[in-house]
Structures are given as structure tokens and as C-alpha cells.
């Protein structure tokens, strides 16, 4: 069972090394889930003497006022033989065999964290001290600052509440065993340790009461009622200890001799003789070690479940945040291309109908453009007066012979030229729709790259498979576009620039198509027109009836037929305007932007730091998983 305590010792040390002190944090904490024993007591309650008696060494700083200003995690390791020594976690390769040097290092390390001086500030960052000795039991204790009622010696006014808050933050956790130290020569009702323990553990299920200074009680009084649980009952029996006196400390009395005198005191004092077998610091250490092992054993299944769940959560969030920015130019370029490829694919999905929005383009050609053409005033262009005027002007001084060819050309040109307006409007409308889809695709690129690693459960399997087949991108390679605000802006600018350029080119090509129609008349159309009078053709007329209303009406009708024929041929406007759909980010890498790849991947420092913190915390949990599994299999 001893390896259970060693397991918790390893995990607590790993927690401290990776910044997990059990404080309020946005990150999961393993520290709070680990069973621990916190030593609580007021100033001058004998707390330090109890710890030294359990260890059998004089190693804790002493003095007036608040001496313990940081939590001291004391890990005791029993060894079979060899010389006793101590190690600090912040000095992993240094062994202390002189315990007076250990005392000095505790004080120095406290000052390094709190700033030292006369301010006497406190800190919740623990000091880790491991002691290896054949005279100890396997046990871990957390020595907390002593509770006080008055700020003295240059301490801030808030020191009283600060210490109480720190102590409470440790002992209010359900996995914390409370070792409440109370002096027997004071009224138990005024005990700081009992008061705060009762507040966080009202039933006393996880509180061990330790009564110190029993030998200093007034003559005629004893602590039997307390030790037998009649004065204040706890779930576990009270334990009395007799510490070294100040005179013993001054004379450097050996701790082994002090333990012997303690045993003799309880065995020879009539009031406590019947309790002697469960009194003293040696019994306290053995009892705490045994109880801690039992608690750890009962917590292992819950720890395994918590660790496995937290590992999944950490991996999921790390996947959501994406991998850190590559350091080499090739890696940065690859990352940018992957993001842009996803954007390009989402944009095409909108156009192809996989996502919404592409139907608006169809609406432009199916509704807006035909409506614009219907509003053209061909009746004005082909009125009798206008037809007569244009034919007469085209004939000049010599009237036409068979058909008014030049008149036809002018009439058709003046009619078809009006199509330019609706055609340009259609290009502008498609451009506006595509621009809106581009911005929408950028936002959806953020969502897609964000949720892709955890798509399971948020969308169907078919969609997941389709996404992977289309983009062929491993889940953990995809980066979140909003992760890089500059890149997002540049992709948006590149898309808009491409759309603007293609808009002008498409508009130019569209207008050229219209001009081609009225600049070159299709001869076959006129050849197929009926030529005899009975069929409404154009036989040779005399110069006198060549401009009568019936003739002009026939000319207007022919021109209108040709215009409609031209409109049918101009259905290629759709394909020309469709060139706008060929937006690509290829020009993004051909532009000067490629020379500032590092600036494009300007990830938010807060996200970068969180990724680092999550990676460290994941490392901690994986190590814990391995350690606990090893112990569980060993059992």
C-alpha cells in the first residue's frame, strides 16, 4: 500500500511543476482531486512542533509572528537504511543532510516568492520538501500558515483574512483531510482550528483532532474529556501529543529522546494511562499514514474516470485551437494554403447548391434580367415615325431598291444598344451576390475549421465523410481562420479584389457581345424571310409606295423579330457573367502578400498562451494516467 502515497506524492509534485496549485483557474485542476492532509492551527498552537515530532527532525523555521507564509508540502519517504536527507523540488539535484540548512532554505525560498523584507506577505504557491529517513512513515502533510487574529510587525491589515482564505481554500475541498491542532491549555471553544474545521466539515467526517501542550495544563485539570470525545466529538479519536518545551528546543534536545519522554508521560500519568496506546506523535504519524492510504485507495476509480474525461476535453480544445504557428516559411505557406483551400471549397459549395445562397445568382438571370429586358421601350424605337425617319435618313438621296438594308442596320442597332443597361445591371447584381457569399464563406470557414475536429455528434456521418473526401485534410492540420485576424482580412481582401477584377472583365465581355450583335447582322435571318407579297415579303415597290404605313409596319415587325432573335443569341450573357464564379485565391500567393507570411499568421497572444497552458496540463494528466494505471494493475 505504500506505493499509493508515493503515487499521490508524484502527482502533487507534477502539479506544482506545471503550475497547478488548485487555485481558481480556467484550466482543469488535478490538485483538487488528490487526497491530502492539511495541518491547521492558530499561532502558538504547537503546529510546527507536531510536524517536527512526526518527522523526528528539527527543520522548520521558528520565530515570532507569522513564520509559515507559504504552504509547505512535506512528503515523508521511509527508507530501509542509509543516511537521512532532504530534497526541495526547486533544487532537484541537491541533497540536504544538515536540517538546519533545510530550515534556512525554507525561509529563503519563502522570501524569494513573497518579496521578503518586513512586509511578511503570504503566497499560495507551495514549497515542496521531501524527507527520506528510516524513522518516518510514508505520509504527505501540507503545513499551512497559522491562523491569526491581529496583524503585527508591519503586516498588511488584510493579512488575517488573507490567511483564513488560503487555509479555507485548502480544507474546504472534499478530498482534504484536516489535521486540526489545538492547545490543551486554552479553551477548546476558542480554538481557531476547530472553528474553521467545523465550518467546512460540520460532521467531522474528515477532521482529526490533535491536542498539544497537555503537559502545560493547570494543576488539577486534564484533557480526558476532550481526548475521549465527550467535550467535542469527531468521527476519529482525538490524539494527544507532548511536544518539546522551549528549553528543550534551545538545548537542541534530540527528537528521539523527546519521543521517548512523550511515551513515558502518557504511560505514567494516571489520567492518561488508559489512553497511552493511542497517544503521541508516533501513533499520530502511523494512524494518518494508514488512513491516507485507505482514502487514496477508495479514490483511485474516481481519479481514473476524472483523468480520462479531462484528457478528452483537453485534446478536444487543443484540436479546436489548432496547432501552433509553424516556424519555417514552408510550414506557414502550407498552413495558409490549407485555410484558403477550405474557404475556396466552401465558396464553391454555395455556388453548387450544397450550401445556400447560389440560388440568388440564378434569380438574377431568371427574374431580374428578363424583367429588365421587358422594360425596354421597343415600341418607341419601332414607332412609325421613327422607322420612317431612320429609313429615309439611311437611304439618303437614293432610295433603296429591294430592302432598306441601311435602315435595318440603324433600326436594329438603336434597339439592341438599349440591352446594355440590363446587361450591366445583371453583372452588378451577380457581383453583389458573390461578394456576400465570399464574406459568408469566410465566416463559415471559421466555423468549419473550428468544429471539424469534433464534428462527431454535431453533424451526420455522411457530411463528415464528404468533408474529409473533398478537402483531404487531417482534422488536426486544419487551422481556425479567426485564429489569425490579419490572414482573415487578407483572404477577404483577396476575394473582393478578385471579384472586382472579374466584374470589370465580365462587364466588358458582356458589352462586347451586345456590340457584336448589332455590328454584324445575321444574313440567314433575312434570307429566310418570305419574299412574295402573299407571304408578306419585300417585293420591289415603286418609289411612291416604298414609305407607306403598311410597308413601314412590315419593316418594324422584321426589326423586332431580329431583336428578339438577337436577345435569344445573347443568352451567352449568362456564361460571360458566370466567369465571375471563377474566383480563386491563387492570386493571393502571386501578390506581395506572400512576402509577409509571418505577419499573416499573427495569432492572438491569449490563444497562444492558452494552447501552451493546455498542452502542459495535458502532459500532466497523461503522466497521471500512466502512474495510476500502473498502480491499479499492480493491485
Amino acid at each position: 500500500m505504500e506505493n499509493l502515497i508515493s503515487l499521490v506524492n508524484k502527482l502533487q509534485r507534477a502539479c506544482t511543476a506545471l503550475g497547478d496549485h488548485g487555485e481558481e483557474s480556467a484550466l482543469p485542476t488535478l490538485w483538487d482531486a488528490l487526497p491530502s492532509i492539511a495541518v491547521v492551527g492558530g499561532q502558538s498552537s504547537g503546529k510546527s512542533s507536531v510536524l517536527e515530532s512526526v518527522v523526528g527532525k528539527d527543520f522548520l523555521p521558528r520565530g515570532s509572528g507569522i513564520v509559515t507564509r507559504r504552504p509547505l508540502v512535506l512528503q515523508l519517504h521511509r527508507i530501509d537504511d542509509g543516511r537521512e536527507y532532504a530534497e526541495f523540488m526547486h533544487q532537484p539535484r541537491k541533497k540536504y543532510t544538515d536540517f538546519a540548512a533545510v530550515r534556512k532554505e525554507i525561509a529563503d525560498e519563502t522570501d524569494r516568492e513573497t518579496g521578503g523584507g518586513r512586509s511578511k506577505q503570504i503566497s499560495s504557491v507551495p514549497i515542496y520538501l521531501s524527507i527520506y529517513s528510516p524513522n518516518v512513515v510514508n505520509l504527505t502533510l501540507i503545513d499551512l500558515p497559522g491562523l491569526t487574529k491581529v496583524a503585527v510587525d508591519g503586516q498588511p491589515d488584510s493579512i488575517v483574512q488573507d490567511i483564513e482564505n488560503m487555509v479555507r481554500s485548502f480544507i474546504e475541498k472534499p478530498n482534504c483531510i484536516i489535521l486540526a491542532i489545538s492547545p490543551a491549555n486554552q479553551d477548546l471553544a476558542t480554538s481557531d482550528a476547530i472553528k474553521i474545521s467545523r465550518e467546512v466539515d460540520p460532521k467531522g467526517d474528515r477532521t482529526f483532532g490533535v491536542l498539544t501542550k497537555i503537559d502545560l495544563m493547570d494543576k488539577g485539570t486534564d484533557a480526558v474529556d476532550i481526548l475521549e470525545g465527550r467535550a467535542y466529538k469527531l468521527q476519529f479519536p482525538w490524539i494527544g501529543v507532548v511536544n518539546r518545551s522551549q528549553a528543550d528546543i534551545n538545548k537542541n534536545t534530540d527528537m528521539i529522546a523527546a519521543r521517548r519522554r512523550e511515551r513515558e508521560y502518557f504511560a505514567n500519568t494516571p489520567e492518561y494511562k488508559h489512553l497511552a496506546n493511542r497517544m503521541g506523535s508516533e501513533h499520530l504519524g502511523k494512524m494518518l499514514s494508514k488512513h491516507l492510504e485507505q482514502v487514496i485507495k477508495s479514490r483511485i476509480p474516481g481519479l481514473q474516470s476524472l483523468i480520462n474525461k479531462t484528457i478528452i476535453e483537453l485534446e478536444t480544445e487543443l484540436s479546436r485551437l489548432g496547432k501552433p504557428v509553424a516556424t519555417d516559411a514552408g510550414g506557414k505557406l502550407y498552413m495558409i494554403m490549407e485555410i484558403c483551400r477550405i474557404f475556396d471549397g466552401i465558396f464553391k459549395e454555395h455556388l453548387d447548391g450544397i450550401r445556400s445562397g447560389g440560388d440568388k445568382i440564378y434569380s438574377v438571370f431568371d427574374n431580374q434580367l428578363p424583367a429588365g429586358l421587358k422594360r425596354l421601350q421597343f415600341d418607341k424605337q419601332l414607332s412609325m415615325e421613327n422607322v420612317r425617319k431612320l429609313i429615309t435618313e439611311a437611304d439618303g438621296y437614293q432610295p433603296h431598291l429591294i430592302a432598306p438594308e441601311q435602315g435595318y442596320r440603324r433600326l436594329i442597332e438603336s434597339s439592341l444598344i438599349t440591352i446594355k443597361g440590363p446587361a450591366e445591371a445583371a453583372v452588378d447584381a451577380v457581383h453583389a451576390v458573390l461578394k456576400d457569399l465570399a464574406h459568408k464563406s469566410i465566416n463559415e470557414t471559421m466555423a468549419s475549421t473550428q468544429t471539424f475536429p469534433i464534428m462527431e455528434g454535431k453533424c451526420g456521418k455522411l457530411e463528415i465523410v464528404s468533408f474529409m473526401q473533398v478537402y483531404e485534410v487531417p482534422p488536426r492540420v486544419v487551422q481556425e481562420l479567426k485564429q489569425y485576424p490579419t490572414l482573415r482580412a487578407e483572404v477577404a481582401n483577396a476575394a473582393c479584389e478578385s471579384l472586382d477584377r472579374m466584374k470589370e472583365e465580365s462587364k466588358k465581355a458582356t458589352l462586347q457581345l451586345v456590340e457584336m450583335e448589332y455590328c454584324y447582322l445575321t444574313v440567314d435571318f433575312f434570307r429566310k424571310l418570305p419574299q412574295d407579297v402573299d407571304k408578306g415579303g419585300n417585293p420591289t415597290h415603286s418609289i411612291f409606295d416604298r414609305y407607306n404605313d403598311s410597308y413601314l409596319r412590315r419593316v418594324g415587325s422584321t426589326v423586332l423579330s431580329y431583336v428578339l432573335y438577337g436577345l435569344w443569341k445573347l443568352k451567352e450573357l449568362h456564361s460571360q457573367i458566370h466567369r465571375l464564379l471563377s474566383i480563386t485565391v491563387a492570386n493571393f500567393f502571386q501578390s506581395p502578400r506572400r512576402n509577409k507570411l509571418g505577419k499573416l499568421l499573427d495569432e492572438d497572444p491569449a490563444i497562444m498562451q492558452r494552447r501552451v497552458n493546455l498542452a502542459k496540463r495535458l502532459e500532466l494528466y497523461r503522466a497521471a494516467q500512466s502512474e495510476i494505471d500502473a498502480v491499479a494493475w499492480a493491485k
Side-chain angles (χ1 to χ4, degrees):
M1 295 295 290
E2 293 180 353
N3 57 350
L4 292 177
I5 295 179
S6 298
L7 166 67
V8 173
N9 288 349
K10 289 180 182 178
L11 297 182
Q12 286 180 334
R13 290 168 71 91
C15 286
T16 299
L18 294 175
D20 179 5
H21 308 127
E23 299 172 324
E24 291 295 328
S25 171
L27 297 172
T29 173
L30 179 59
W31 177 283
D32 292 347
L34 298 175
S36 59
I37 301 176
V39 184
V40 181
Q43 288 186 24
S44 303
S45 63
K47 181 166 60 72
S48 296
S49 296
V50 170
L51 289 174
E52 290 182 333
S53 296
V54 171
V55 176
K57 287 293 178 182
D58 187 356
F59 67 97
L60 292 174
R62 295 180 180 276
S64 60
I66 302 174
V67 178
T68 304
R69 293 183 286 120
R70 289 177 61 183
L72 175 66
V73 180
L74 179 61
Q75 297 179 340
L76 305 182
H77 305 268
R78 183 181 180 84
I79 56 177
D80 294 333
D81 52 18
R83 190 175 182 184
E84 297 174 310
Y85 67 93
E87 285 182 345
F88 287 97
M89 196 184 73
H90 61 272
Q91 295 177 337
R93 288 179 293 275
K94 185 174 182 179
K95 292 184 178 180
Y96 288 82
T97 56
D98 181 2
F99 283 82
V102 172
R103 182 189 307 115
K104 183 178 184 302
E105 179 58 28
I106 291 174
D108 292 344
E109 177 62 16
T110 298
D111 288 340
R112 282 193 284 268
E113 177 66 26
T114 61
R118 294 179 57 83
S119 64
K120 301 297 183 182
Q121 296 290 334
I122 62 172
S123 170
S124 61
V125 179
I127 298 175
Y128 266 86
L129 173 63
S130 295
I131 296 178
Y132 300 82
S133 170
N135 303 316
V136 299
V137 293
N138 289 297
L139 184 62
T140 298
L141 300 167
I142 304 175
D143 183 21
L144 298 173
L147 296 164
T148 184
K149 292 182 174 64
V150 180
V152 297
D153 193 24
Q155 297 168 347
D157 295 336
S158 63
I159 194 72
V160 176
Q161 189 62 46
D162 291 343
I163 293 177
E164 182 178 335
N165 292 341
M166 182 194 296
V167 171
R168 193 181 297 275
S169 69
F170 277 85
I171 67 175
E172 68 184 359
K173 296 178 175 66
N175 291 308
C176 180
I177 301 166
I178 306 170
L179 192 62
I181 311 295
S182 301
N185 59 351
Q186 294 180 13
D187 188 354
L188 192 63
T190 64
S191 170
D192 295 321
I194 293 299
K195 176 179 178 294
I196 196 169
S197 299
R198 182 185 294 172
E199 291 175 0
V200 299
D201 181 29
K203 295 182 179 180
D205 293 335
R206 51 189 180 89
T207 301
F208 285 83
V210 177
L211 206 60
T212 64
K213 302 184 180 182
I214 293 177
D215 56 327
L216 301 181
M217 295 181 70
D218 294 337
K219 289 183 179 181
T221 62
D222 59 60
V224 174
D225 285 348
I226 298 175
L227 294 175
E228 291 184 346
R230 290 192 295 270
Y232 183 76
K233 185 174 179 58
L234 295 171
Q235 295 295 326
F236 304 99
W238 281 80
I239 299 174
V241 297
V242 175
N243 298 325
R244 291 181 302 165
S245 66
Q246 188 60 48
D248 292 335
I249 295 173
N250 294 338
K251 290 188 295 186
N252 293 322
T253 300
D254 182 69
M255 295 294 296
I256 303 300
R259 282 183 178 179
R260 185 176 61 254
R261 284 205 304 269
E262 182 184 43
R263 288 194 300 269
E264 293 173 352
Y265 175 83
F266 286 109
N268 298 328
T269 303
E271 292 84 359
Y272 308 117
K273 186 180 296 187
H274 66 292
L275 301 172
N277 65 327
R278 60 179 181 87
M279 295 291 118
S281 56
E282 283 186 280
H283 174 75
L284 174 63
K286 292 176 182 178
M287 185 270 299
L288 289 176
S289 178
K290 182 178 179 180
H291 181 73
L292 183 59
E293 287 174 349
Q294 293 173 347
V295 172
I296 294 172
K297 183 179 180 181
S298 68
R299 297 287 195 278
I300 281 183
L303 275 174
Q304 288 177 307
S305 176
L306 171 68
I307 288 172
N308 293 337
K309 177 184 176 183
T310 308
I311 286 176
I312 294 174
E313 291 174 352
L314 291 170
E315 289 177 340
T316 298
E317 185 169 2
L318 278 172
S319 297
R320 183 184 65 81
L321 293 178
K323 287 188 176 181
V325 180
T327 56
D328 60 297
K332 292 177 181 178
L333 181 61
Y334 174 78
M335 187 180 296
I336 293 173
M337 290 181 69
E338 289 299 331
I339 296 173
C340 292
R341 188 154 66 104
I342 294 174
F343 160 73
D344 194 47
I346 292 175
F347 184 79
K348 289 176 180 176
E349 286 183 358
H350 279 291
L351 302 180
D352 296 338
I354 300 176
R355 298 172 186 256
S356 63
D359 56 306
K360 295 180 181 178
I361 298 175
Y362 175 78
S363 177
V364 171
F365 297 110
D366 196 51
N367 298 316
Q368 182 176 327
L369 182 59
L373 294 176
K374 287 180 181 179
R375 288 193 296 269
L376 295 177
Q377 298 180 354
F378 289 124
D379 54 343
K380 181 178 179 181
Q381 295 290 333
L382 301 178
S383 64
M384 297 292 291
E385 294 77 8
N386 195 53
V387 171
R388 179 181 286 107
K389 176 176 178 294
L390 290 181
I391 289 179
T392 304
E393 291 176 351
D395 284 349
Y397 73 93
Q398 186 176 356
H400 60 271
L401 298 177
I402 299 175
E405 181 179 334
Q406 293 300 323
Y408 272 128
R409 292 185 183 278
R410 292 193 181 185
L411 285 169
I412 291 172
E413 178 180 350
S414 64
S415 298
L416 288 179
I417 201 170
T418 60
I419 300 174
K420 286 186 175 182
E424 286 184 299
V427 174
D428 292 335
V430 172
H431 175 262
V433 172
L434 293 177
K435 217 166 188 179
D436 181 65
L437 290 180
H439 288 295
K440 190 174 181 181
S441 298
I442 288 175
N443 292 331
E444 290 176 0
T445 301
M446 292 163 50
S448 296
T449 55
Q450 178 176 356
T451 58
F452 179 66
I454 50 174
M455 295 178 73
E456 302 277 3
K458 292 194 175 183
C459 51
K461 291 184 178 180
L462 183 60
E463 184 178 350
I464 298 172
V465 173
S466 174
F467 191 95
M468 296 178 66
Q469 289 175 343
V470 171
Y471 300 115
E472 299 177 352
V473 181
R476 305 191 189 284
V477 173
V478 182
Q479 302 297 313
E480 188 177 350
L481 189 54
K482 73 175 182 181
Q483 189 175 332
Y484 311 110
T486 301
L487 177 60
R488 178 186 178 186
E490 288 290 348
V491 170
N493 290 338
C496 291
E497 288 174 8
S498 179
L499 285 171
D500 291 341
R501 185 177 61 258
M502 296 307 297
K503 169 189 172 182
E504 298 305 320
E505 292 180 8
S506 295
K507 187 176 289 188
K508 181 179 178 181
T510 299
L511 297 181
Q512 285 178 342
L513 278 176
V514 176
E515 292 172 357
M516 288 167 60
E517 286 302 317
Y518 66 69
C519 289
Y520 180 82
L521 301 186
T522 304
V523 179
D524 288 343
F525 176 84
F526 292 96
R527 285 176 177 170
K528 293 176 182 178
L529 290 176
Q531 295 298 317
D532 49 83
V533 178
D534 295 335
K535 295 181 181 180
N538 290 309
T540 304
H541 294 278
S542 68
I543 193 171
F544 300 104
D545 62 358
R546 193 170 293 166
Y547 300 108
N548 64 26
D549 290 351
S550 176
Y551 177 76
L552 295 176
R553 195 175 296 111
R554 237 180 353 261
V555 170
S557 176
T558 301
V559 170
L560 180 59
S561 297
Y562 186 86
V563 169
L564 295 177
Y565 170 73
L567 289 178
W568 178 80
K569 290 179 64 180
L570 283 174
K571 65 182 181 179
E572 293 184 24
L573 278 174
H574 186 290
S575 61
Q576 287 300 318
I577 298 175
H578 197 272
R579 290 185 60 198
L580 276 170
L581 310 186
S582 63
I583 176 176
T584 176
V585 292
N587 65 91
F588 181 84
F589 301 103
Q590 299 169 359
S591 68
R593 296 183 182 92
R594 65 182 178 182
N595 298 323
K596 53 177 183 177
L597 297 178
K599 295 180 180 179
L600 291 177
L601 300 176
D602 59 338
E603 189 175 16
D604 185 350
I607 294 179
M608 296 174 66
Q609 186 58 49
R610 180 160 183 82
R611 184 188 294 107
V612 171
N613 294 340
L614 287 171
K616 289 182 178 179
R617 199 57 55 94
L618 181 59
E619 177 187 350
L620 166 65
Y621 275 81
R622 283 175 175 164
Q625 184 184 51
S626 176
E627 295 283 355
I628 291 179
D629 288 348
V631 171
W633 280 106
K635 291 199 303 177

